[in-house]
Amino acid sequence: MAVVAIMAFLACLTLGAVSMVRATAASWQGGISREVTIQIKPREGRDMNQALLNARDVALQFVGTLDGRVVDEAATERLLEPWLGTGLDFDMLPVPRLVIVTIDENNPPDFAAMATALQEAVPGSSLDDHRAWVSRLSAMADATTTIGVSIMALVFSAMVLTVVFATRGALAGSRDIVEVLHFVGAEASFVARQFQRHFLNVALKGAFLGGALACLFFVLARFWQMRYLATPGADQATALFGTISIGWGAYFGILLTIIAIAGLTALTTRLTVIRTIREIDLVRSDPERTDTI
């Protein structure tokens, strides 16, 4: 039961982590895909505030744009504060300025035409539709899913091998009883059901224990993140993993994983017992064979 509990914990932990990463990536993708950024570089003699307003007006002329917001000097200073500190002088430091344009995801504008119109109206401006970032986030989510599925496959494989060895060990310890039952008329399926019932009960207890520990881990991790919010450790964890929380879909997936582990254990036990009894039949039918269970 301990081995099954450990395997179930690892499988459910992997499932929850993959679900959490995919939800965070989807949230990032949604936030990025709803906006495009116009960057305007400072030039000698350019009225930057007027250039920002012109760029915003040009962008809003296109069908598919919903709103435009100029990132003012205070917001720009906050963005650059981690690298350049406070008290920036924008007249002395040639810092590009930004316009954030909100778009309709279902009916996006023609980005190529928008970029051309911006270049004509505000020379030196550039349009970033964030496609590169969306592609990278999608690739990261797919890679995380692939890694998670691979880990779960390894965990299930290790569990199957463990159940096989445990079943054969139990059969070896009860070989005389199994042989007597079989040769007085008990079919292989009857004997297999006895072992199957026992290992199914053990697997259910272990799988539920492992799944419960995995759920408890996510609850405690969420509590820790909320308890130590705005501390360096929690901020780094949030930046890397996002909000440490899994939805009801992930909890339902954990429940399905528990059921799958129990079912796979029972099926593996049944097949192992039936195969072993067939080996016993082969040994009995040919006295010269020296096969053992």
Side-chain angles (χ1 to χ4, degrees):
M1 188 177 70
V3 173
V4 174
I6 293 172
M7 297 297 180
F9 173 77
L10 293 176
C12 294
L13 191 66
T14 302
L15 177 65
V18 170
S19 173
M20 186 174 63
V21 171
R22 287 194 67 87
T24 302
S27 176
W28 289 346
Q29 289 178 1
I32 291 175
S33 61
R34 285 192 295 268
E35 296 179 343
V36 295
T37 304
I38 302 171
Q39 177 180 275
I40 302 177
K41 297 179 181 180
R43 287 187 175 184
E44 185 176 355
R46 165 173 284 175
D47 185 347
M48 181 58 75
N49 292 326
Q50 186 61 46
L52 291 168
L53 294 175
N54 292 341
R56 184 194 63 182
D57 294 340
V58 170
L60 293 178
Q61 292 176 0
F62 285 82
V63 176
T65 57
L66 302 178
D67 189 23
R69 176 174 58 87
V70 175
V71 180
D72 58 21
E73 292 186 356
T76 304
E77 183 176 350
R78 287 195 298 270
L79 290 174
L80 298 175
E81 183 176 346
W83 295 273
L84 301 180
T86 59
L88 297 180
D89 186 352
F90 288 92
D91 293 330
M92 300 296 296
L93 189 65
V95 177
R97 300 287 301 280
L98 303 176
V99 177
I100 308 299
V101 179
T102 305
I103 64 173
D104 184 357
E105 296 179 77
N106 299 321
N107 183 31
D110 186 343
F111 294 118
M114 184 184 294
T116 301
L118 286 170
Q119 279 287 350
E120 294 176 354
V122 186
S125 62
S126 61
L127 177 67
D128 184 3
D129 59 7
H130 306 155
R131 291 181 184 177
W133 287 103
V134 171
S135 177
R136 291 178 183 178
L137 287 173
S138 178
M140 181 199 72
D142 292 341
T144 302
T145 302
T146 301
I147 294 173
V149 170
S150 301
I151 292 175
M152 291 189 69
L154 290 174
V155 169
F156 279 112
S157 299
M159 187 191 67
V160 167
L161 292 175
T162 301
V163 172
V164 169
F165 289 129
T167 304
R168 292 181 72 87
L171 280 170
S174 308
R175 175 173 180 143
D176 294 338
I177 298 175
V178 171
E179 288 184 352
V180 170
L181 286 173
H182 182 51
F183 288 110
V184 298
E187 296 182 356
S189 58
F190 171 81
V191 178
R193 279 198 300 272
Q194 313 312 310
F195 284 90
Q196 180 180 342
R197 187 179 298 112
H198 170 72
F199 279 96
L200 177 60
N201 291 332
V202 172
L204 280 174
K205 294 177 182 178
F208 271 106
L209 177 59
L213 289 176
C215 293
L216 180 62
F217 171 83
F218 287 110
V219 171
L220 292 178
R222 175 61 175 166
F223 173 77
W224 172 83
Q225 188 181 47
M226 296 301 296
R227 175 67 176 78
Y228 295 97
L229 197 65
T231 61
D235 288 345
Q236 290 296 327
T238 303
L240 183 60
F241 300 108
T243 301
I244 302 178
S245 176
I246 58 177
W248 291 110
Y251 285 113
F252 182 70
I254 289 176
L255 178 61
L256 291 181
T257 301
I258 292 172
I259 296 174
I261 288 175
L264 185 60
T265 300
L267 179 61
T268 303
T269 301
R270 181 179 183 85
L271 295 177
T272 303
V273 172
I274 291 176
R275 180 179 177 182
T276 303
I277 292 177
R278 288 177 180 173
E279 292 176 359
I280 293 176
D281 289 338
L282 290 175
V283 172
R284 290 296 183 180
S285 64
D286 185 0
E288 296 183 359
R289 292 175 63 100
T290 57
D291 304 39
T292 58
I293 295 179

